Amino acid sequence: MAEQQTSAPVTTAAGPVAVTIGRRPEPVHDVAVYAFDGMTPFELGVVVEVFALARPELGGLLAVPWYGLKVCADRPGAALGAVGGFSLTAHHGLDELAAADTVVVPGVPNAFGGEVSPGLVAALRTAHGRGARIVSICSGAFALAAAGLLDGREATTHWRYAGLLQQRYPLVRVNPDVLYVDSGDVLTSAGSAAGIDLCLHLIRRDHGAKVANSVARRFVVPPHRDGGQAQFIEAAVNPVEEEDDGIALSMQWAMEHLCTPLTVSLLARAARMSDRSYLRHFTARNGTTPMRWVITQRIAASLPLLESPDGTVEEIATAVGFESAATFRHHFGRAMRTSPTAYRRSFGRGAA
């Protein structure tokens, strides 16, 4: 079959000219993000950074098309004020949001008393009804709840809003402790930086751990954070102490010895600290215990191995330091909400 060619107008200083384009690009996965007057720019910026930025470093890693992003608003073309004293303009409307493959609501104007845009509610219902994936960050969960998309589901939001969300929408099972909740076609995340965690999780679902890890490296963030919101609620910021250098050394040492049995005593010895002091300082620094952190690193190390066709689940469990395949499956299921075998089926090389 001859290669399809089209001509597209390109405007130059001399005027529009026809440029021959070779093979048609593969269709992208359309992502739409909602913008509104009075928004805080961070959450919107996270979505733009993840889904709109050119990523030449992923060449050769993608088995399915990458994302295309549209910023949508109730009134496209109108100036939208943002916290910080500047404004932006969204060129797309809610019809295009309703037609996207993934819809992200990064917040609502006023979670404590404002009405959710009726147009947004209608667009969310339309998008979900036609099979789109619906995502919220921070107070965006209120929009999903207003559309009825969280009824009977577990969901999360920023810990400041969790009680209000539960009170206003009693059919929602609000979990204030987690960074995000994946219910398949509807996903919710906690405040601000948890949006990064959820966006990386979406990439991991769509493209696998290797691609998600690459995006995380460019973001200069860990590909997966352990702990949950509880570590941030009304917590004082502790001053950095000299012993914290030992914590960093012990974490580096642990990453180099994941396949070996690790204990708090061994990690404390690597940090040149007593067990009790190490446990206290590690938890204060990382928001989780040393062994929970080790488990998270072992699960993260298992993902690229599961994506490879080589090695059984039992062999992978041993390679990343779990004492048995049963222990591996238990911790993997708790962290990833699926089994190692199901993960391999979905994300293994050659998976659809």
Side-chain angles (χ1 to χ4, degrees), residues 256-276:
E256 296 168 354
H257 296 82
L258 278 181
C259 63
T260 64
L262 296 176
T263 65
V264 171
S265 293
L266 286 173
L267 294 172
R269 190 181 309 165
R272 301 183 298 276
M273 298 167 65
S274 69
D275 291 8
R276 184 174 179 179

Side-chain angles (χ1 to χ4, degrees), residues 34 36 43 103-109 111 116 120-121 124 134-151 153-159 161-162 164-166 168-169 172-175 179 181 186-191 198 229:
Y34 180 65
F36 54 90
E43 290 86 351
V103 175
V104 185
V105 183
V108 294
V116 176
L120 175 61
V121 168
L124 289 174
I134 312 297
V135 179
S136 70
I137 300 172
C138 196
S139 64
F142 285 82
L144 275 58
L149 304 186
L150 299 183
D151 289 355
R153 297 179 186 260
E154 182 182 351
T156 194
T157 185
H158 193 289
W159 57 265
Y161 305 138
L164 179 62
L165 182 66
Q166 186 67 82
R168 190 174 296 172
Y169 301 100
V172 182
R173 302 196 309 273
V174 179
N175 184 344
L179 295 177
V181 174
V186 178
L187 302 91
T188 54
S189 74
L198 182 52
Q229 291 194 79

Side-chain angles (χ1 to χ4, degrees), residues 187-316:
L187 302 91
T188 54
S189 74
S192 300
I196 300 175
D197 298 288
L198 182 52
C199 287
L200 290 174
H201 174 71
L202 291 174
I203 294 175
R204 193 179 303 114
R205 268 183 47 170
D206 295 343
H207 297 282
K210 184 176 291 186
V211 172
N213 290 350
S214 178
V215 174
R217 281 195 296 272
R218 186 161 174 181
F219 246 111
V220 198
V221 297
H224 175 75
R225 286 195 296 163
D226 194 20
Q229 291 194 79
Q231 60 188 293
F232 303 110
I233 298 174
E234 301 299 335
V237 178
N238 296 322
V240 177
E241 301 179 18
E242 184 178 350
E243 289 174 304
D244 284 337
D245 291 338
I247 300 294
L249 288 172
S250 73
M251 294 170 74
Q252 180 180 346
W253 180 85
M255 293 299 294
E256 296 168 354
H257 296 82
L258 278 181
C259 63
T260 64
L262 296 176
T263 65
V264 171
S265 293
L266 286 173
L267 294 172
R269 190 181 309 165
R272 301 183 298 276
M273 298 167 65
S274 69
D275 291 8
R276 184 174 179 179
S277 180
Y278 179 78
L279 184 60
R280 177 168 58 86
H281 282 87
F282 187 100
T283 304
R285 176 180 176 131
N286 296 293
T288 188
T289 66
M291 297 318 297
R292 280 179 58 86
W293 177 83
V294 167
I295 289 169
T296 298
Q297 304 315 307
R298 285 174 168 161
I299 291 170
S302 75
L303 298 182
L305 299 179
L306 289 168
E307 292 178 20
S308 167
D310 302 324
T312 64
V313 170
E314 289 74 14
E315 290 169 338
I316 292 171

